[in-house]
Short mmCIF file of all heavy atoms in Angstrom, two decimals:
data_model
loop_
_atom_site.label_atom_id
_atom_site.label_comp_id
_atom_site.label_asym_id
_atom_site.label_seq_id
_atom_site.Cartn_x
_atom_site.Cartn_y
_atom_site.Cartn_z
N ARG A 1 47.29 -72.23 25.98
CA ARG A 1 47.59 -71.30 27.07
C ARG A 1 48.40 -70.21 26.74
O ARG A 1 48.14 -69.03 27.12
CB ARG A 1 48.20 -72.13 28.27
CG ARG A 1 47.25 -73.06 28.93
CD ARG A 1 47.77 -73.64 30.23
NE ARG A 1 46.95 -74.66 30.70
CZ ARG A 1 47.21 -75.40 31.79
NH1 ARG A 1 48.39 -75.17 32.44
NH2 ARG A 1 46.38 -76.33 32.25
N LEU A 2 49.48 -70.43 25.88
CA LEU A 2 50.27 -69.33 25.39
C LEU A 2 49.40 -68.29 24.59
O LEU A 2 49.49 -67.13 24.81
CB LEU A 2 51.49 -69.86 24.59
CG LEU A 2 52.37 -68.79 23.98
CD1 LEU A 2 53.07 -67.98 25.08
CD2 LEU A 2 53.40 -69.42 23.04
N VAL A 3 48.52 -68.79 23.76
CA VAL A 3 47.73 -67.98 22.92
C VAL A 3 46.80 -67.20 23.85
O VAL A 3 46.52 -66.00 23.65
CB VAL A 3 46.85 -68.77 21.96
CG1 VAL A 3 45.86 -67.84 21.27
CG2 VAL A 3 47.72 -69.54 21.04
N MET A 4 46.24 -67.75 24.99
CA MET A 4 45.44 -67.03 25.92
C MET A 4 46.13 -65.76 26.39
O MET A 4 45.69 -64.72 26.57
CB MET A 4 45.02 -67.99 27.05
CG MET A 4 44.00 -68.98 26.67
SD MET A 4 43.65 -70.17 28.00
CE MET A 4 43.17 -69.08 29.32
N PHE A 5 47.41 -66.05 26.88
CA PHE A 5 48.22 -64.90 27.49
C PHE A 5 48.52 -63.83 26.39
O PHE A 5 48.40 -62.62 26.76
CB PHE A 5 49.45 -65.41 28.08
CG PHE A 5 49.25 -66.24 29.28
CD1 PHE A 5 49.76 -67.55 29.48
CD2 PHE A 5 48.59 -65.67 30.48
CE1 PHE A 5 49.49 -68.24 30.64
CE2 PHE A 5 48.46 -66.37 31.64
CZ PHE A 5 48.82 -67.69 31.71
N LEU A 6 48.79 -64.23 25.25
CA LEU A 6 49.19 -63.23 24.22
C LEU A 6 48.07 -62.53 23.55
O LEU A 6 48.24 -61.55 22.82
CB LEU A 6 50.08 -63.92 23.20
CG LEU A 6 51.39 -64.41 23.67
CD1 LEU A 6 52.34 -64.90 22.51
CD2 LEU A 6 52.11 -63.68 24.60
N THR A 7 46.84 -63.03 23.84
CA THR A 7 45.64 -62.37 23.21
C THR A 7 44.72 -61.88 24.31
O THR A 7 43.59 -61.47 23.97
CB THR A 7 44.90 -63.40 22.35
OG1 THR A 7 44.45 -64.54 23.09
CG2 THR A 7 45.67 -63.83 21.15
N ASN A 8 45.13 -62.03 25.57
CA ASN A 8 44.30 -61.51 26.71
C ASN A 8 42.96 -62.08 26.84
O ASN A 8 41.98 -61.46 27.09
CB ASN A 8 44.15 -59.99 26.61
CG ASN A 8 43.67 -59.26 27.95
OD1 ASN A 8 43.95 -59.83 29.01
ND2 ASN A 8 43.12 -58.14 27.76
N GLN A 9 42.92 -63.49 26.73
CA GLN A 9 41.70 -64.28 26.94
C GLN A 9 41.78 -64.97 28.20
O GLN A 9 42.85 -65.50 28.59
CB GLN A 9 41.51 -65.15 25.78
CG GLN A 9 41.45 -64.48 24.43
CD GLN A 9 40.37 -63.50 24.30
OE1 GLN A 9 39.20 -63.82 24.56
NE2 GLN A 9 40.70 -62.35 23.82
N THR A 10 40.63 -65.24 28.85
CA THR A 10 40.59 -65.85 30.18
C THR A 10 40.15 -67.22 30.22
O THR A 10 40.28 -67.96 31.19
CB THR A 10 39.73 -65.07 31.10
OG1 THR A 10 38.38 -65.04 30.61
CG2 THR A 10 40.25 -63.65 31.35
N THR A 11 39.69 -67.74 29.02
CA THR A 11 39.29 -69.13 28.94
C THR A 11 39.74 -69.72 27.64
O THR A 11 39.83 -69.10 26.62
CB THR A 11 37.72 -69.22 29.00
OG1 THR A 11 37.36 -70.66 28.68
CG2 THR A 11 37.13 -68.39 27.99
N ILE A 12 40.14 -71.06 27.76
CA ILE A 12 40.66 -71.72 26.53
C ILE A 12 39.73 -71.77 25.36
O ILE A 12 40.03 -71.85 24.20
CB ILE A 12 41.22 -73.15 26.97
CG1 ILE A 12 42.02 -73.75 25.88
CG2 ILE A 12 40.00 -74.10 27.25
CD1 ILE A 12 42.75 -75.05 26.29
N ARG A 13 38.43 -71.68 25.79
CA ARG A 13 37.38 -71.83 24.74
C ARG A 13 37.40 -70.62 23.83
O ARG A 13 36.87 -70.68 22.64
CB ARG A 13 35.90 -72.02 25.36
CG ARG A 13 35.69 -73.35 26.07
CD ARG A 13 34.33 -73.42 26.59
NE ARG A 13 34.08 -74.75 27.08
CZ ARG A 13 32.90 -75.21 27.47
NH1 ARG A 13 31.83 -74.33 27.37
NH2 ARG A 13 32.68 -76.44 27.89
N ASP A 14 37.97 -69.50 24.33
CA ASP A 14 37.98 -68.34 23.45
C ASP A 14 39.16 -68.27 22.47
O ASP A 14 39.29 -67.45 21.67
CB ASP A 14 37.96 -67.08 24.28
CG ASP A 14 36.60 -66.74 24.87
OD1 ASP A 14 35.64 -67.06 24.25
OD2 ASP A 14 36.58 -66.12 25.96
N VAL A 15 40.05 -69.32 22.63
CA VAL A 15 41.17 -69.40 21.65
C VAL A 15 41.09 -70.77 20.87
O VAL A 15 41.98 -71.09 20.12
CB VAL A 15 42.59 -69.32 22.39
CG1 VAL A 15 42.66 -68.00 23.02
CG2 VAL A 15 42.76 -70.38 23.27
N LEU A 16 39.97 -71.48 21.00
CA LEU A 16 39.67 -72.65 20.15
C LEU A 16 38.49 -72.38 19.32
O LEU A 16 37.49 -71.97 19.83
CB LEU A 16 39.46 -73.82 21.01
CG LEU A 16 40.53 -74.35 21.94
CD1 LEU A 16 40.07 -75.53 22.83
CD2 LEU A 16 41.75 -74.78 21.17
N LEU A 17 38.65 -72.46 17.99
CA LEU A 17 37.48 -72.18 17.19
C LEU A 17 36.31 -73.03 17.47
O LEU A 17 35.18 -72.58 17.54
CB LEU A 17 37.92 -72.29 15.65
CG LEU A 17 38.68 -71.17 15.04
CD1 LEU A 17 39.26 -71.61 13.71
CD2 LEU A 17 37.79 -69.99 14.88
N PHE A 18 36.49 -74.32 17.79
CA PHE A 18 35.49 -75.27 18.05
C PHE A 18 35.73 -76.10 19.30
O PHE A 18 36.16 -77.18 19.20
CB PHE A 18 35.15 -76.14 16.88
CG PHE A 18 34.83 -75.47 15.63
CD1 PHE A 18 35.76 -75.26 14.66
CD2 PHE A 18 33.55 -74.92 15.46
CE1 PHE A 18 35.44 -74.57 13.41
CE2 PHE A 18 33.28 -74.16 14.30
CZ PHE A 18 34.17 -74.09 13.34
N PRO A 19 35.56 -75.40 20.42
CA PRO A 19 35.87 -76.15 21.75
C PRO A 19 34.87 -77.31 21.96
O PRO A 19 33.73 -77.27 21.40
CB PRO A 19 35.68 -75.11 22.80
CG PRO A 19 34.75 -74.06 22.25
CD PRO A 19 35.10 -74.11 20.72
N THR A 20 35.24 -78.30 22.76
CA THR A 20 34.35 -79.40 23.03
C THR A 20 33.17 -78.94 23.81
O THR A 20 33.29 -78.16 24.81
CB THR A 20 35.10 -80.42 23.86
OG1 THR A 20 36.39 -80.76 23.11
CG2 THR A 20 34.33 -81.72 24.15
N MET A 21 32.01 -79.33 23.43
CA MET A 21 30.69 -78.97 24.07
C MET A 21 29.90 -80.22 24.33
O MET A 21 29.94 -81.15 23.50
CB MET A 21 29.98 -77.97 23.16
CG MET A 21 30.74 -76.74 22.87
SD MET A 21 31.04 -75.62 24.23
CE MET A 21 29.34 -75.16 24.63
N LYS A 22 29.15 -80.20 25.38
CA LYS A 22 28.22 -81.27 25.61
C LYS A 22 27.09 -81.20 24.57
O LYS A 22 26.46 -80.20 24.34
CB LYS A 22 27.61 -81.13 27.04
CG LYS A 22 26.61 -82.19 27.43
CD LYS A 22 26.10 -82.02 28.83
CE LYS A 22 25.14 -83.14 29.23
NZ LYS A 22 24.65 -82.94 30.59
N PRO A 23 26.78 -82.38 23.90
CA PRO A 23 25.72 -82.31 22.93
C PRO A 23 24.43 -81.94 23.42
O PRO A 23 24.10 -82.28 24.59
CB PRO A 23 25.74 -83.77 22.39
CG PRO A 23 27.00 -84.35 22.78
CD PRO A 23 27.41 -83.65 24.07
N ILE A 24 23.67 -81.25 22.60
CA ILE A 24 22.28 -80.90 23.03
C ILE A 24 21.38 -81.88 22.39
O ILE A 24 21.71 -82.56 21.34
CB ILE A 24 21.87 -79.51 22.62
CG1 ILE A 24 22.19 -79.22 21.18
CG2 ILE A 24 22.64 -78.44 23.49
CD1 ILE A 24 21.78 -77.91 20.65
N GLY A 25 20.11 -82.02 22.89
CA GLY A 25 19.22 -82.95 22.33
C GLY A 25 18.87 -82.68 20.89
O GLY A 25 18.80 -81.54 20.46
N LYS A 26 18.44 -83.71 20.15
CA LYS A 26 18.12 -83.52 18.69
C LYS A 26 16.95 -82.52 18.54
O LYS A 26 17.05 -81.66 17.72
CB LYS A 26 17.70 -84.88 18.13
CG LYS A 26 17.38 -84.78 16.63
CD LYS A 26 17.13 -86.15 16.11
CE LYS A 26 16.80 -86.11 14.59
NZ LYS A 26 17.79 -85.55 13.76
N LYS A 27 16.01 -82.62 19.48
CA LYS A 27 14.88 -81.65 19.32
C LYS A 27 15.37 -80.29 19.50
O LYS A 27 15.03 -79.34 18.75
CB LYS A 27 13.78 -81.98 20.33
CG LYS A 27 12.53 -81.15 20.21
CD LYS A 27 11.51 -81.61 21.21
CE LYS A 27 10.26 -80.70 21.10
NZ LYS A 27 9.19 -81.06 22.01
#
């Protein structure tokens, strides 16, 4: 959150290189 404020980002995903994502199907 501190990084978000100091880099002007509105979502935590934009300050995490690999945010948690729901897996997509193998196909």
